[in-house]
């Protein structure tokens, strides 16, 4: 038997420049109301250690925990049992560069719903594309 190093799948990363000031984008990603407008209903608070839930519709209430808050530049939280979501914001003088990082993918792992990460990752990657468009429309409005 040869020793296999555990394989990991690459993080999902999406970067977009929004025509909105950084504080407006921060409020859209670091408040319960802001997240609900483009992502999912939730009881989020921007406090490290705060446990909250995302209301994932047919998938039910998804447990999360805030792991990093650095206003208005960076926010991270654990999502479910496997994932970390990170929002990174960079001030471009009236515009904001926004990067989403969805990490914690492992080809040998299945989600709470019994689906392999390899399948879910592709679906989530596409889902984030649409969500980030919604976020962009929300902060522009």
């Amino acid at each position: 038997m040869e020793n296999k190093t555990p394989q990991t799948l690459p993080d999902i990363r999406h970067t977009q420049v929004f025509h909105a000031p950084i504080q407006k984008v921060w409020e859209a990603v670091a408040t319960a109301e802001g997240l609900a407008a483009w992502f999912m209903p939730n009881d989020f608070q921007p406090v490290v250690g705060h446990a909250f839930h995302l209301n994932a519709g047919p998938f039910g209430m998804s447990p999360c925990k805030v792991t990093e808050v650095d206003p208005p530049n960076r926010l991270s939280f654990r999502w479910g049992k496997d994932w970390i979501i990170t929002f990174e914001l960079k001030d471009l003088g009236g515009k904001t560069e926004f990067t989403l990082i969805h990490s914690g993918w492992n080809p040998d792992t299945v989600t709470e719903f019994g689906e392999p990460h390899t399948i879910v990752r592709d679906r989530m990657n596409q889902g984030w594309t649409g969500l980030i468009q919604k976020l962009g429309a929300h902060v522009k409005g």
Side-chain angles (χ1 to χ4, degrees):
M1 292 284 283
E2 61 183 89
N3 278 343
K4 272 178 60 178
T5 336
Q7 293 292 307
T8 56
L9 296 164
D11 293 348
I12 292 174
R13 287 183 86 94
H14 289 277
T15 299
Q16 187 87 39
V17 173
F18 296 136
H19 293 271
I22 192 167
Q23 200 55 47
K24 188 167 188 188
V25 179
W26 176 254
E27 285 166 17
V29 301
T31 65
E33 303 76 24
L35 283 168
W38 65 275
F39 189 32
M40 293 180 204
N42 63 86
D43 54 351
F44 172 84
Q45 286 179 23
V47 176
V48 171
H50 177 69
F52 68 102
H53 286 84
L54 290 170
N55 182 342
F59 295 104
M61 298 303 272
S62 200
C64 301
K65 186 175 215 172
V66 180
T67 55
E68 186 182 359
V69 181
D70 175 17
N73 306 303
R74 194 177 158 93
L75 173 79
S76 289
F77 61 88
R78 284 195 135 303
W79 183 12
K81 65 181 182 62
D82 302 321
W83 298 324
I84 300 265
I85 303 295
T86 302
F87 302 134
E88 290 181 344
L89 286 69
K90 209 181 285 177
D91 191 345
L92 302 180
K95 297 180 190 172
T96 305
E97 182 184 275
F98 171 81
T99 301
L100 161 105
I101 304 154
H102 184 162
S103 56
W105 300 102
N106 184 324
D108 302 325
T109 303
V110 295
T111 67
E112 293 90 324
F113 305 102
E115 289 186 295
H117 275 200
T118 42
I119 291 171
V120 177
R121 186 188 175 284
D122 289 340
R123 187 184 316 138
M124 293 292 254
N125 193 20
Q126 290 171 2
W128 279 118
T129 302
L131 284 167
I132 290 168
Q133 286 173 345
K134 271 180 77 173
L135 172 59
H138 174 69
V139 296
K140 213 168 62 177

